[in-house]
Amino acid sequence: TYALELFTAARDLDAVYVPIGMGSGICGLITVRDLLGLKTEIIGVVAENAPAFALSFEAGRPVPTPTARTFADGMACRDPQAEPLGIILRGAARIVRVSEDEIAEAIRVYYTATHNLAEGAGAGPLAALIKERERLGGKRVGLILSGGNIDMAAFREILAGRTPAV
């Protein structure tokens, strides 16, 4: 339902960045965008240490990985399923990989700039936008901040300027 709420409130977005775990969030955005007839680019985000969906997008078929070692556990997918991958292949513009350090920095930015507590997966879209800021300068962009379920020890590490070990 968040996809419908987002596109109802902001129909003229040029792009939306969304974290990918098992694919439900990005598939919902793609489906609602298409049902509303919008042209918004949907950009998936994965952790570099959990690249299964990025590898699958590039290969055009599911590509499992042996590990998914990221503190952004909401993006820790090792075995992408064919059904969501099919929707992603038909409707996503691209998938951006972000590092553990980039995710940690995005969590710090959310907390210091907006006082929002973002979990690793929730901060992934901001990390990707920061990484691609030159590409999307001057465009209207939405970010999916999917949750604030972060372990307190990891959050303390991040606020101290470090990246949690995985």
Side-chain angles (χ1 to χ4, degrees):
T1 60
Y2 77 73
L4 182 58
E5 291 174 24
L6 174 65
F7 288 132
T8 298
R11 296 183 68 86
D12 59 344
L13 291 173
D14 295 305
V16 175
Y17 286 82
V18 57
I20 302 175
M22 292 305 292
S24 61
I26 190 170
C27 289
L29 278 167
I30 290 167
T31 301
V32 171
R33 179 213 46 203
D34 293 350
L35 288 170
L36 294 174
L38 303 176
K39 301 294 181 207
T40 307
E41 277 190 330
I42 306 296
I43 302 156
V45 181
V46 300
E48 285 178 354
N49 290 351
F53 263 106
L55 295 170
S56 299
F57 188 79
E58 293 160 8
R61 61 173 175 71
V63 177
T65 57
T67 64
R69 295 185 48 85
T70 176
F71 80 88
D73 51 359
M75 295 191 294
C77 174
R78 291 183 310 110
D79 189 17
Q81 300 301 298
E83 293 82 5
L85 179 60
I87 294 169
I88 294 166
L89 287 169
R90 287 189 300 276
R94 64 187 169 282
I95 296 179
V96 178
R97 299 177 202 199
V98 292
S99 72
E100 301 296 293
D101 289 342
E102 289 166 333
I103 295 166
E105 178 61 21
I107 290 171
R108 283 189 287 275
V109 168
Y110 266 129
Y111 188 72
T112 58
T114 70
H115 303 286
N116 283 296
L117 178 60
E119 64 185 44
L126 177 58
L129 176 60
I130 291 169
K131 189 174 199 167
E132 293 195 334
R133 67 184 167 271
E134 303 289 324
R135 182 179 191 154
L136 291 171
K139 303 236 176 174
R140 290 181 45 90
V141 178
L143 301 173
I144 303 303
L145 172 51
S146 60
N149 184 22
I150 188 169
D151 179 73
M152 187 55 71
F155 188 54
R156 277 194 298 269
E157 285 285 308
I158 290 166
L159 288 181
R162 298 182 294 269
T163 299
V166 290

